[in-house]
Amino acid sequence: MELRIQSINFEATEQLKTFVEKKIKKLEKFSDNIIQTEVLLKVIKPETAKNKEASVKINLKNGEAFASKVADTFEEAIDLCAEALEKQILKTKEKKDR
């Protein structure tokens, strides 16, 4: 799986990139059809409590999955995205198995 991480309006730390990588790689256990994953991390202006946005787009062999979440921290937003994507991947897999 190819993974691309982009940070908009800020510079992502290595620690954050490692966290994102680890979380997204876990999705591979639900499907081996993942071709490419694109992660966009964005700080929403103005500075408010929930101003960290994470968008994750996964290209699958038989379609794509997308999730975008806003939270207090990027880690929390990535967690929420991973949960949503897991459900989408499993749903796609179920349809294919029918």
Side-chain angles (χ1 to χ4, degrees):
M1 168 178 66
E2 184 187 326
L3 176 65
R4 212 165 75 215
I5 302 171
Q6 283 185 299
S7 48
I8 301 168
N9 298 336
F10 79 104
E11 189 61 44
T13 63
E14 275 307 309
Q15 188 179 0
L16 179 59
K17 287 179 183 177
T18 304
F19 176 83
V20 169
E21 211 171 294
K22 209 158 93 177
K23 272 289 178 189
I24 300 303
K25 291 257 187 229
K26 281 186 180 176
L27 294 172
E28 282 187 305
K29 70 180 176 189
F30 299 106
S31 173
D32 50 4
N33 290 335
I34 299 173
I35 300 166
Q36 179 188 25
T37 305
E38 214 170 289
V39 180
L40 283 178
L41 302 172
K42 188 159 87 180
V43 176
I44 304 167
K45 306 271 192 247
E47 295 287 321
T48 55
K50 290 192 172 200
N51 71 332
K52 310 286 191 297
E53 181 183 354
S55 301
V56 183
K57 180 180 165 191
I58 296 179
N59 290 322
L60 301 159
K61 284 181 186 162
N62 50 353
E64 67 178 33
F66 179 81
S68 184
K69 302 290 179 187
V70 178
D72 288 332
T73 65
F74 284 116
E75 288 82 0
E76 193 180 335
I78 288 292
D79 274 340
L80 294 170
C81 282
E83 282 176 32
L85 289 165
E86 181 183 319
K87 288 175 189 166
Q88 288 179 44
I89 290 168
L90 291 173
K91 198 179 266 186
T92 306
K93 204 173 177 182
E94 270 176 32
K95 283 182 186 175
K96 197 184 119 210
D97 289 345
R98 281 188 207 153

